[in-house]
Amino acid sequence: MTLLNLFFLLHLILIPTSGYVQPFKDGFISGVISNKGLDFAKDLLIEKCIETIVLLKLPKIENTAYVPLVGNAKVTLSDIMIKDVQVNDSSVIIRESGIVVVFSAATVDLSMKWKYTVSSWLIPFGISGSGTASIKVTGMQVGLTLNLKSKDGTLKLSLLDHGCYVGDLSIKLDGGAAWLYQLLVDAFQDIIASSVEEAISDQITEGIVKLDNILQALPKQVSLDKTVSLNVSFVGNPVLSNSSIAIAINGLFARTSEVFVPQSYKNGFKVSSACGGLPKMIKVSIHEDVFKSASLVYFNAGKLQMVIDELHDQALLNTAGWRFIVPQLYKRYPNDDMQINISASSPPVIQVSYQDIGATLSVDITIDVLEGGEIIPVACISVDVSASCGVEIIGNNLSGSLKLQQFSAYLKWSKIGKLHIRLIQSLISSVLKTAVLPYLNHQLKSLPLPNIDGYGFQNTVILYNYPWISLCSDFSFTEDDYYFIQHSNYVS
């Protein structure tokens, strides 16, 4: 897993387990990672750190020392490479001042090459030798303190403090004289330990700088299609407590390629952080204004309309099928095909309740007759529709289901005389149930949840708590995700 994917995973898994999160101004999608989620993220961080440290090559070391009865020995240690790292204990501590990550009781295995030359008045021609050795470091501790702040809609990650301490170090020579071993222990042990500490500290600093650059490059707007974009800029500084990290994004929809400035929405919401008593890693909460902003943008873009020219009961799209309900229509246009034009007359009103998501939609249903290649509007009926939407998680997919609650209709205008609305309502109900709702439900099925380098949502539950809908979940390894693997390779 790359640093990009590691952060993106953290970016997606946000909100605590009890109490209330401090409200964020203009934050309509908010969340916190709990203690359980922090442990999960910490383990991923350890895995990533080990990947960057293993096979790390340390600088060459040279030193000269006097060896009794032998003379001055010049020893060179080269190809010093970290072969393996094992972390036996770790912890993450959240404080108001920053995030503290500690790896302790770690062991490091290294390999190296050595060579020496000895010269003295007793041995004027000099002697030399070479070989390999293995090094084992035990009791190593690594600590770092991070600070996370919001900056111009992105996140700024800073390394406040860090350090690496090597406990014990042992050297095993493959060949070589006893005096050489003692020389390595006496003259090189501290140098090797300092070299390990410095190399690991440098890797930490370099990794944090890279991660910060990735955070600074995160998009502030994500285009969902040619019509709308989602404002994903961060708002407010992350809130750090002793058990969680809370982050919020704006989360409102806007027209693609337009800068969106929210003006008509409340802000400073308090978000319940409870997960129904379930110990989940994350909870993501979405305010109903997110859905309202989407409906407003799509309505203003003229996208909330559809033309129905095919039905399960195709007879309803011929004037003959209406001859007993609207006889004057059949009389004027006998056996002509029809189409039904449905368009929203106002933005849908969407509200999150304590059990589902409700939607109220006012639409104009225009009846068109197709005659001689011409589309002739003959009547328009205004309909107010109320529907409910239940959301569930199936596998790693989000699925929604719309159900018609009630509707009412009245005649807006007619070119074929007065219509009996009560009789027409049955046809409208049939169109809604057999064409409109199936189409919308098809669009709502199997929306994939984020899957990053094989890590996805697990044991997810949906909670409704007006005016928020929340997703409480754990994360686990599922399967590789091609997009994020390719994207991470590109940026790295």
Side-chain angles (χ1 to χ4, degrees):
M1 175 177 288
T2 65
L3 281 172
L4 169 66
N5 289 354
L6 175 59
F7 175 76
F8 204 92
L9 185 59
L10 300 182
H11 182 195
L12 291 170
I13 56 175
L14 307 170
I15 279 186
T17 53
S18 62
Y20 280 88
V21 180
Q22 179 175 329
F24 292 94
K25 183 180 180 180
D26 295 332
F28 297 88
I29 298 179
S30 59
V32 176
I33 178 171
S34 67
N35 273 331
K36 184 179 179 182
L38 289 172
D39 286 337
F40 178 80
K42 175 206 63 181
D43 291 340
L44 291 181
L45 180 62
I46 292 174
E47 179 183 325
K48 177 59 187 173
C49 287
I50 291 176
E51 288 178 3
T52 60
I53 293 173
V54 169
L55 301 184
L56 180 65
K57 195 172 182 179
L58 278 58
K60 182 169 65 174
I61 300 174
E62 293 182 337
N63 200 4
T64 301
Y66 176 75
V67 181
L69 303 177
V70 176
N72 292 320
K74 182 180 179 181
V75 181
T76 301
L77 307 182
S78 61
D79 293 340
I80 308 171
M81 183 177 294
I82 296 177
K83 306 295 288 186
D84 185 47
V85 178
Q86 296 292 329
V87 176
N88 298 314
D89 193 16
S90 61
S91 62
V92 56
I93 304 170
I94 307 299
R95 298 172 179 167
E96 291 185 4
S97 59
I99 306 165
V100 180
V101 183
V102 178
F103 311 148
S104 57
T107 61
V108 182
D109 293 317
L110 303 94
S111 64
M112 70 175 183
K113 295 178 182 179
W114 56 265
K115 67 178 181 179
Y116 72 89
T117 57
V118 176
S119 61
S120 70
W121 64 273
L122 292 174
I123 314 174
F125 52 84
I127 59 174
S128 62
S130 62
T132 60
S134 59
I135 305 170
K136 191 171 191 67
V137 172
T138 58
M140 187 179 74
Q141 296 185 19
V142 178
L144 59 153
T145 302
L146 303 171
N147 181 260
L148 202 57
K149 296 290 185 181
S150 176
K151 180 182 178 182
D152 300 327
T154 61
L155 289 178
K156 174 68 178 177
L157 183 67
S158 303
L159 183 61
L160 301 181
D161 192 15
H162 71 287
C164 176
Y165 170 75
V166 169
D168 296 323
L169 185 149
S170 60
I171 304 173
K172 181 180 179 181
L173 290 179
D174 297 326
W179 64 264
L180 177 61
Y181 172 77
Q182 194 60 45
L183 176 63
L184 289 177
V185 172
D186 294 341
F188 286 88
Q189 187 176 41
D190 291 342
I191 298 176
I192 296 173
S194 296
S195 183
V196 172
E197 293 170 349
E198 183 177 350
I200 292 178
S201 295
D202 289 345
Q203 283 296 110
I204 292 174
T205 302
E206 181 181 337
I208 296 302
V209 170
K210 288 183 178 179
L211 183 53
D212 179 57
N213 290 336
I214 292 171
L215 297 182
Q216 296 295 308
L218 286 175
K220 300 178 184 179
Q221 181 173 286
V222 175
S223 296
L224 302 184
D225 54 35
K226 294 181 180 180
T227 302
V228 301
S229 296
L230 181 65
N231 186 338
V232 293
S233 57
F234 290 89
V235 294
N237 288 321
V239 177
L240 308 181
S241 70
N242 59 1
S243 61
S244 62
I245 302 175
I247 302 178
I249 63 173
N250 178 277
L252 296 180
F253 289 87
R255 288 292 297 269
T256 299
S257 301
E258 291 183 3
V259 177
F260 181 73
V261 179
Q263 296 178 346
S264 59
Y265 297 95
K266 298 180 181 179
N267 52 41
F269 301 109
K270 281 189 175 182
V271 186
S272 171
S273 58
C275 273
L278 300 174
K280 296 297 183 179
M281 292 181 183
I282 56 100
K283 179 183 178 182
V284 178
S285 291
I286 304 173
H287 194 273
E288 63 180 25
D289 282 349
V290 173
F291 307 109
K292 290 179 179 178
S293 69
S295 69
L296 179 62
V297 171
Y298 276 110
F299 174 78
N300 290 337
K303 298 297 183 179
L304 298 183
Q305 57 184 2
M306 63 183 300
V307 175
I308 300 175
D309 53 14
E310 291 184 7
L311 283 175
H312 180 70
D313 185 0
Q314 194 64 21
L316 292 176
L317 291 179
N318 188 283
T319 55
W322 294 59
R323 65 184 182 276
F324 299 115
I325 301 174
V326 188
Q328 64 268 36
L329 174 63
Y330 178 71
K331 184 177 180 180
R332 183 175 298 185
Y333 304 101
N335 292 315
D336 281 337
D337 290 331
M338 303 165 55
Q339 70 178 23
I340 299 174
N341 192 324
I342 302 177
S343 61
S345 58
S346 62
V349 178
I350 300 175
Q351 186 173 32
V352 177
S353 68
Y354 290 98
Q355 58 185 7
D356 55 23
I357 301 174
T360 302
L361 178 63
S362 296
V363 298
D364 289 337
I365 300 179
T366 303
I367 302 171
D368 298 328
V369 173
L370 309 179
E371 184 181 51
E374 184 181 359
I375 300 175
I376 305 172
V378 296
C380 180
I381 301 167
S382 291
V383 179
D384 294 326
V385 180
S386 294
S388 63
C389 180
V391 181
E392 62 179 339
I393 304 294
I394 302 176
N396 204 52
N397 294 318
L398 182 68
S399 179
S401 178
L402 279 169
K403 294 182 179 180
L404 180 65
Q405 298 295 321
Q406 60 183 11
F407 74 93
S408 58
Y410 66 91
L411 182 63
K412 192 171 185 178
W413 56 263
S414 173
K415 296 180 180 179
I416 53 175
K418 186 177 180 180
L419 305 182
H420 296 284
I421 295 298
R422 289 185 179 181
L423 296 177
I424 294 176
Q425 278 186 339
S426 61
L427 293 178
I428 295 175
S429 177
S430 178
V431 170
L432 291 175
K433 292 178 179 179
T434 61
V436 178
L437 287 182
Y439 170 79
L440 295 176
N441 283 330
H442 178 74
Q443 302 299 315
L444 293 174
K445 283 186 177 180
S446 298
L447 301 174
L449 294 171
N451 182 301
I452 305 167
D453 268 4
Y455 289 89
F457 289 92
Q458 182 187 50
N459 301 325
T460 305
V461 296
I462 301 295
L463 300 178
Y464 299 94
N465 186 22
Y466 170 80
W468 301 87
I469 178 173
S470 301
L471 181 152
C472 294
S473 182
D474 291 328
F475 259 76
S476 68
F477 183 80
T478 53
E479 58 183 332
D480 289 335
D481 182 271
Y482 178 82
Y483 168 78
F484 285 103
I485 292 175
Q486 295 300 312
H487 185 63
S488 63
N489 289 338
Y490 173 77
V491 298
S492 58

